[in-house]
Amino acid sequence: MKTWIDTLNVYQPGLPIEEVARELGISDINNIIKVASNENEFGPSPKAIQAMNECTNQMHRYPDGGAYYLKEKLANKLNVLPSQILFGNGSNELIIFLSHLYLEPGRSLLMSEHAFAVYALATKLYQGELIQAPMKNLTHNLDAMLNLIDSRTKIVSVVNSNNPTGTAVKPNDLEEFIQEVPDHVLCVVDEAYYEVMPKDKQLDIIKYINSGKENLLILRTFSKGYGLAGLRIGYGIGSSSLISKLNKIRQPFNVNAMAQSAALAALDDDEYIEYCRSQICNGVRYLEKEFNKLGLETVPSAANFILVKTFNGNKVFKDLQKRKIIVRPMNVYNLPDYVRISVGTTEQNKKIIDAFSEIF
Ligand SMILES: *Cc1c(COP(=O)(O)O)cnc(C)c1O
C-alpha cells in the first residue's frame, strides 16, 4: 500500500437529515431544516422531475457515455462547441480530473485560504504542493495570487462566488486576472453558484474560451441553482484540446442516465431557474438584514448561502441543531467564529431567524 495515503484528510460533508433525526429522536424528517450544504431549497425544476419519472423504466440500460444530447443542448445554450464541454459526476469529479492531469510532486496548485476544500484534497491526492494565498475581507485577493505564481504552479483556482465565504470578485478584476495568468498555468474559474448570482455579478468569461484561450477552464454544476445535487452532474467548459485530454481520464459512464435526462429537461426551464434565483437573492437580503438587527455581522454574499459571524461557530451549530436546524460550522475552513447557512424558503428563513433570536 502507499502509506502516504494515511496523511490525506477526508471531506466533511454537511450532516444528513436522517442522522440528525436519529440523534434527536425525531421520526418525521420534514420537521428538520437542513441548510448546511448550499442545496436549492426550492427543489428540482418540475420539468426535471417529470423527465426523471419518465426514464425510470430505462434504468437497465447504460447511459450515453458521451452525453450526446445534453452536450448538444448545453453547447447551443452557452454558444460553444460540444467538444468544449465535459460532464463530470458533479463538478467535484472534474476537480479530481484536473489534478490528475496537472499535479504530481514538485507541481503546485494555488488557491485562496478559506476557499473550497476539494481543491486542497485533490492536490494532496496527487501529491502536488498546495499554495494558499491570503484573502482580503474574505474575498479572493487576485493580486496576491498573481504574485504567488511561479514555475511550479500548474493550476490556479478562483472560486467565484466563493464557497464558504459567499464573496464574488469585481468582474473587471477577474477579467484582468484571467488575461494575466501566465500560459504555463491553467486558470480554473469555479462558477458553481453562477445561476444564483445577482445579475450584476454574473460575468461572461466564456468569451475568452471562444477567442482561443487555452489555459482557462470554467466549472459549473447542476447541484446548486438547478437543484439536482443528488444526481451528481456538473461540467467544465474549456478549449477542445484541454477537454479531449480530460476526457481520457474519466470512466466511460461517469454521468448516470437519470442525471442526463433531468439536466436536459432543467435546461429547458429557464423560468423556474430564474424564479429560484430571485427568491434566493431576496432571501440573502432578508437574512442579512435580520442577522444584522440581532447584532451579528454577515459577509456580503453573491451565492445561495450566507456566512454569519458568531462568538463560537461550533456552539451555535449545536444550539441550532437542538432546534432542528442544521447549519455548517466553519472550523474546517479555519473560520471558527462563523457558521454558513444556505438560503431557504421564506418560511425556513423565518424559522432560522427565530432560532437565532432565541440564542442571541
Ligand atoms: C458545491 C460546489 C461545487 C459542486 O459540486 P458538485 O460536485 O457539482 O455537486 C463545486 N465547487 C464549489 C465551490 C461548490 O461550492
Side-chain angles (χ1 to χ4, degrees), residues 17-29:
I17 292 189
E18 292 77 5
E19 188 178 326
V20 174
R22 264 197 315 277
E23 236 170 73
L24 298 177
I26 298 169
S27 53
D28 185 4
I29 60 167

Side-chain angles (χ1 to χ4, degrees), residues 89-92 116 159 163 190 192-193 221 223-224 232-234:
N89 197 267
S91 54
N92 275 335
F116 192 44
V159 186
N163 180 9
D190 187 332
Y193 299 94
T221 179
S223 294
K224 309 286 164 58
R232 314 304 304 125
I233 176 166

